[in-house]
Amino acid sequence: MLTVAALYKFTPFPDAAALRAPLLAACEEAGVKGTLLLAAEGINGTIAGSRAGIDAVLAHIRSLPGCADLDWKESGAETMPFGRMKVRLKREIVTMGVPSADPTAAVGHYVEPSAWNELISAPDVAVIDTRNDYEVAIGTFEGAVDPGTRSFRDFPAWWRENAHRFHNKRIAMFCTGGIRCEKSTNFLLSEGVEDVFHLRGGILKYLEEVPEDESLWLGQCFVFDQRVSLGHGLKPGGLETCAACRRPITAADKAHPAYEEGASCPHCVAEYSDADRDRFRERHRQMLLAAGRGERHLGPS
């Protein structure tokens, strides 16, 4: 069983570019794969490898400026859920597009998973899912508001258009691992919302700690690796993704006339050109050929 570690830390990196090569070297030496993002505001990502490999990389990350108290969440995978190791430089480690957002200055009240059910069941609390629409589609908390956003960049505009709906409400927000809520709660505080709460450790921590028979979570939690989704106890959910758009697909999606293995699904059938579809089909053909040779096709970078 491999260890999968999801992590983030908001901390100033005066020269994020200088951290990239040593971090990549540490990951490669440890045999770890996944994606890590570096920006002036910190680090974010998910990696997978052996127990010793993950421990070595986490030790390296904890040695970075301001990362000594790094927190992360772990789950397991029977096979490697990533094709390669990538360390990328970004403007933001989670992109909301609000330059003034600064989670190191102020965030909402953290709520432990054990106290989350009580909070979101209160009549004066509005629960908002800060994730993208395709993530919400396969699972969310009972009674949660779905903003219907295609990207986290859309969240600030959605809030400003809908803030009136939540007058005199306490706001509770959640996301996969907690990072989006660091920014979204900071943003709501800057918008004048006083009572803002967020789930510590995100959905992943909730699914890990809260017994299924006590859970208010409905469905599965989308994750950005080849496991696709996780359920209670962080067990793989068994979903697949569309090879074209990377959205999760269900058995019903695969039975839809718009589904073509490797090329389209009901969610993206109108989003790409014929040339795109031909390119997707060729990529799928190459993946099948690689599988026939007992090799792993890495797919798009």
Side-chain angles (χ1 to χ4, degrees):
M1 181 68 72
L2 297 172
T3 300
V4 183
L7 60 97
Y8 71 87
K9 178 67 177 179
F10 284 98
T11 183
F13 285 159
D15 188 0
L19 305 178
R20 181 184 178 276
L23 178 56
L24 179 60
C27 292
E28 292 178 339
E29 182 178 353
V32 164
K33 297 180 180 180
T35 299
L36 292 171
L37 306 179
L38 291 170
E41 65 182 7
I43 185 170
N44 175 33
T46 305
I47 52 176
S50 67
R51 176 75 268 169
I54 292 295
D55 288 344
V57 174
L58 292 176
H60 180 93
I61 295 173
R62 287 198 300 271
S63 73
L64 301 180
C67 291
D69 60 347
L70 176 76
D71 190 21
W72 67 92
K73 289 161 287 299
E74 292 187 358
S75 55
E78 293 186 1
T79 59
M80 174 56 71
F82 299 103
R84 55 170 72 87
M85 184 65 225
K86 296 175 284 188
V87 179
R88 292 178 167 170
L89 296 174
K90 295 285 187 177
R91 291 186 179 181
E92 299 178 71
I93 57 173
V94 59
T95 304
M96 190 167 72
V98 178
S100 61
D102 181 9
T104 64
V107 295
H109 303 290
Y110 290 105
V111 181
E112 298 295 334
S114 59
W116 183 248
N117 286 357
E118 181 179 2
L119 173 68
I120 67 174
S121 299
D124 66 331
V125 171
V127 188
I128 300 176
D129 195 328
T130 66
R131 299 172 304 148
N132 301 332
D133 52 5
Y134 62 88
E135 299 173 77
V136 180
I138 65 167
T140 191
F141 280 106
E142 184 177 327
V145 175
D146 175 12
T149 51
R150 292 288 302 274
S151 159
F152 192 43
R153 281 183 175 274
D154 300 331
F155 183 82
W158 175 86
W159 171 258
R160 287 167 176 158
E161 293 171 1
N162 291 273
H164 64 278
R165 296 168 50 189
F166 308 105
H167 181 62
N168 290 332
K169 291 280 190 179
R170 293 185 291 161
I171 305 297
M173 294 193 286
F174 64 92
C175 58
T176 305
I179 186 171
R180 292 184 221 186
C181 290
E182 300 281 349
K183 280 197 170 179
S184 60
T185 59
N186 175 269
F187 171 72
L188 259 63
L189 290 171
S190 72
E191 292 286 299
V193 183
E194 295 182 358
D195 290 321
V196 186
F197 302 83
H198 52 134
L199 177 59
R200 187 188 292 274
I203 302 162
L204 294 179
K205 199 66 176 174
Y206 182 92
L207 293 177
E208 178 185 1
E209 295 188 357
V210 176
E212 186 171 359
D213 60 359
E214 299 176 12
S215 175
L216 296 182
W217 175 259
L218 304 175
Q220 300 180 35
C221 178
F222 181 81
V223 290
F224 294 88
D225 60 61
Q226 293 174 13
R227 295 172 300 171
V228 184
S229 67
L230 299 176
H232 286 91
L234 301 182
K235 297 177 182 177
L239 291 184
E240 300 175 31
T241 55
C242 170
C245 67
R246 304 300 175 187
R247 294 183 180 96
I249 51 175
T250 64
D253 292 327
K254 295 178 71 173
H256 193 279
Y259 176 75
E260 179 186 344
E261 185 177 3
S264 68
C265 75
H267 308 293
C268 71
V269 66
E271 294 180 356
Y272 296 102
S273 67
D274 290 343
D276 290 329
R277 296 297 175 199
D278 288 341
R279 179 164 50 84
F280 298 153
R281 292 183 183 104
E282 176 60 21
R283 181 178 66 196
H284 183 62
R285 189 180 75 85
Q286 293 297 329
M287 292 177 69
L288 293 177
L289 289 173
R293 297 191 298 267
E295 301 172 357
R296 182 170 186 169
H297 187 277
L298 296 180
S301 60

